[in-house]
Amino acid sequence: MKILTVEDVVQKFSLKVLTGENKLKEQIRQPKCHRPGLEFVGHFDFFPTERVQILGRKEITYLHKLSKEERQMRIGNIVKYHPPCFIVTAGEEGLTYLTQYCKEEGIPLLCTNVPQITSEFINHLDNYMLKILAPVMTVHGVCINVYGLGILLRGNSGVGKSETAHTMIGRGHRLVADDVVVLKKLSPRTILGTHDGKTKEFLALRSVGLLNVVRLYGRKAFQDESKISLDIKLTKWQKNSLNNELDHESKFTEYMGVQIPHIEIQLQPGRDVAGLIEAAANNWLLKQQGYSAAEEFMKRLESEF
């Protein structure tokens, strides 16, 4: 997990720093921000004090309607919990009272350069913080995006993962990462695949060398990240194994507690591995829509008896 500071958020979203310039190195530990509401009327039982606090037009308008004494009390009750920072999305006009309290408590008070729709800003900020603070692991393999699905290709060194990815690029699919795939856990059901920065856009092919797929094939050949939907292991061909079962038992690979559907594809000269990966991706999409070819076939057989 990477370290995220208030300064990182300031730079990412080009925020104005109104107070707390000496506190910008403070860490943000929670990947979601909070928009205080109940806290302004005195309910603090579930106040997430470690989250970034967002004040939009609704909150600022409410505070302006209060008497000076009551407004000071409401603000004072919140700032004493020392959240990482406050971000105001409704402009900096009329924030004298808030500035004063944040200065006294040493809390960064930040403001967007222009008023923004608060819900949209929260979505962007949450997504950014979630990706930065997500649990991370790396795996040896290749990540490609096929028909909008992130597919993790694994297998022993030299089995043909990168060569297969190159073929997939030629079919119009996109490379995400080669050799080192960074996996980020965004939720109990979501794993995001991306590169480690150093290998971005590069694909290493034996006997050919290192390729920059964007320089060779254009921007459409590369995608920065993709949600992992399938885990495919490429293995050498073994006679009398992986026969054509009508409906083989579903298998999964677990990454950081998240189960990803898993299949194995055996390699043999002349076998269209890229085509099999495309078929697996399309089949996964159909299953998400509730269709199973094996179930339909079995129903046809049963209807004859």
Side-chain angles (χ1 to χ4, degrees):
M1 184 183 297
K2 291 185 177 180
I3 294 176
L4 177 66
T5 67
V6 175
E7 186 175 35
D8 294 328
V9 173
V10 170
Q11 293 177 354
K12 174 66 177 180
F13 294 93
S14 301
L15 302 175
K16 294 181 182 178
V17 181
L18 305 181
T19 69
E21 292 86 353
N22 61 335
K23 294 288 186 178
L24 296 183
K25 296 296 184 182
E26 291 292 318
Q27 288 189 33
I28 298 172
R29 304 180 188 277
Q30 293 294 326
K32 283 187 173 292
C33 54
H34 176 66
R35 193 173 184 178
L38 290 174
E39 292 78 15
F40 281 134
V41 293
H43 293 281
F44 290 91
D45 291 344
F46 302 100
F47 182 34
T49 58
E50 291 190 354
R51 293 187 184 181
V52 172
Q53 305 297 313
I54 305 294
L55 301 177
R57 188 171 301 279
K58 180 174 65 175
E59 291 78 19
I60 297 300
T61 301
Y62 168 76
L63 291 172
H64 278 304
K65 289 181 178 179
L66 300 177
S67 66
K68 180 179 179 180
E69 293 74 17
E70 191 174 8
R71 182 168 60 233
Q72 289 177 340
M73 180 185 69
R74 302 296 186 197
I75 293 296
N77 286 340
I78 289 182
V79 298
K80 69 181 182 182
Y81 286 95
H82 284 264
C85 65
F86 287 94
I87 300 178
V88 179
T89 62
E92 60 181 297
E93 186 178 352
L95 297 181
T96 305
Y97 55 91
L98 188 57
T99 303
Q100 174 189 344
Y101 272 87
C102 287
K103 259 184 187 176
E104 292 175 356
E105 296 292 336
I107 301 172
L109 175 60
L110 315 174
C111 180
T112 55
N113 280 297
V114 294
Q116 295 191 18
I117 298 174
T118 306
S119 58
E120 291 184 358
F121 180 82
I122 288 175
N123 286 336
H124 292 313
L125 179 58
D126 279 352
N127 288 335
Y128 168 71
M129 294 193 298
L130 185 62
K131 289 178 182 178
I132 297 295
L133 295 175
V136 174
M137 67 175 292
T138 59
V139 296
H140 174 67
V142 176
C143 184
I144 52 177
N145 184 278
V146 179
Y147 301 134
L149 303 180
I151 295 180
L152 182 61
L153 296 181
R154 296 185 297 110
N156 294 333
S157 181
V159 76
K161 300 182 294 296
S162 298
E163 289 82 355
T164 300
H166 183 258
T167 302
M168 301 299 292
I169 292 171
R171 292 183 182 230
H173 307 297
R174 296 177 176 181
L175 174 71
V176 176
D178 180 45
D179 191 37
V180 178
V181 182
V182 178
L183 300 180
K184 297 184 177 183
K185 181 181 179 180
L186 300 187
S187 78
R189 300 180 60 184
T190 304
I191 294 289
L192 187 75
T194 186
H195 51 81
D196 65 355
K198 298 186 290 291
T199 60
K200 180 180 179 179
E201 301 175 358
F202 287 124
L203 182 67
L205 298 179
R206 291 173 184 267
S207 304
V208 176
L210 198 62
L211 307 180
N212 185 310
V213 298
V214 172
R215 294 292 185 94
L216 281 175
Y217 305 114
R219 178 53 55 185
K220 65 180 181 179
F222 175 77
Q223 184 166 317
D224 201 54
E225 58 189 28
S226 186
K227 176 184 174 182
I228 302 298
S229 298
L230 277 175
D231 175 79
I232 297 179
K233 186 174 183 179
L234 303 181
T235 61
K236 293 183 179 181
W237 182 267
Q238 296 180 23
K239 191 175 181 180
N240 299 324
S241 70
L242 293 179
N243 296 319
N244 285 333
E245 305 95 336
L246 289 179
D247 188 18
H248 60 272
E249 181 181 355
S250 296
K251 296 181 180 179
F252 299 88
T253 303
E254 189 173 293
Y255 297 103
M256 294 178 285
V258 180
Q259 290 193 327
I260 304 296
H262 167 83
I263 65 173
E264 181 179 334
I265 295 179
Q266 291 191 356
L267 306 180
Q268 189 181 46
R271 202 168 194 218
D272 183 11
V273 179
L276 292 174
I277 293 173
E278 289 177 332
N282 280 321
N283 199 44
W284 185 92
L285 287 168
L286 285 174
K287 286 183 177 180
Q288 301 311 297
Q289 298 169 11
Y291 174 80
S292 170
E295 288 181 7
E296 181 179 355
F297 181 70
M298 294 304 296
K299 286 179 182 178
R300 291 183 185 182
L301 290 180
E302 291 170 359
S303 65
E304 295 182 1
F305 297 97

